[in-house]
Amino acid sequence: MATSRAPRHETLERGDIFFLYRPAVGEENPTSLVDVQRFFIVLKPQGETRFRLLIVGRKRLPKAAEHERFWGFVHHVTDSADAVERRLRESEYQTQTRG
């Protein structure tokens, strides 16, 4: 006798998810992933003041069918939306090139 077992799901957290991106240098209106330098996700749990800033390394979400695991990481955790904004704000810096 075959029995079907319903998958067990447990909600760990509810809240808001924000998707953000930083355009490539010199790009004013990005239209594709090529025009995007960095992709971010900000998680804010419901009823809390904690924010988690995630950096997505491949500028896309993982392919669930292929069980991709490593695609991003938690970069910063804070209790302040202003602190998240400061981390995302545009900054200029000097670089040195070889040769």
Side-chain angles (χ1 to χ4, degrees):
M1 170 163 82
T3 61
S4 69
R5 292 176 44 193
R8 294 176 46 190
H9 298 283
E10 181 181 343
T11 302
L12 299 176
E13 194 171 74
R14 292 183 190 273
D16 296 321
I17 301 175
F18 303 94
F19 298 95
L20 310 164
Y21 67 89
R22 176 172 291 139
V25 175
E27 188 61 50
E28 293 293 324
N29 298 309
T31 57
S32 71
L33 286 178
V34 175
D35 302 332
V36 174
Q37 177 183 346
R38 185 70 70 140
F39 181 51
F40 303 95
I41 298 174
V42 176
L43 303 175
K44 190 213 173 280
Q46 185 176 16
E48 296 186 30
T49 58
R50 183 176 62 236
F51 295 87
R52 288 191 296 268
L53 175 62
L54 287 70
I55 295 179
V56 179
R58 295 187 179 168
K59 296 188 277 189
R60 64 174 176 78
L61 295 177
K63 295 179 182 175
E66 296 179 17
H67 301 286
E68 285 186 320
R69 290 181 173 205
F70 182 76
W71 58 274
F73 60 94
V74 177
H75 177 64
H76 186 70
V77 178
T78 183
D79 289 336
S80 165
D82 290 334
V84 173
E85 182 183 351
R86 281 192 302 274
R87 293 242 177 207
L88 295 173
R89 197 168 292 181
E90 181 179 346
S91 63
E92 293 185 18
Y93 52 90
Q94 289 284 333
T95 61
Q96 293 182 345
T97 56
R98 287 188 256 193

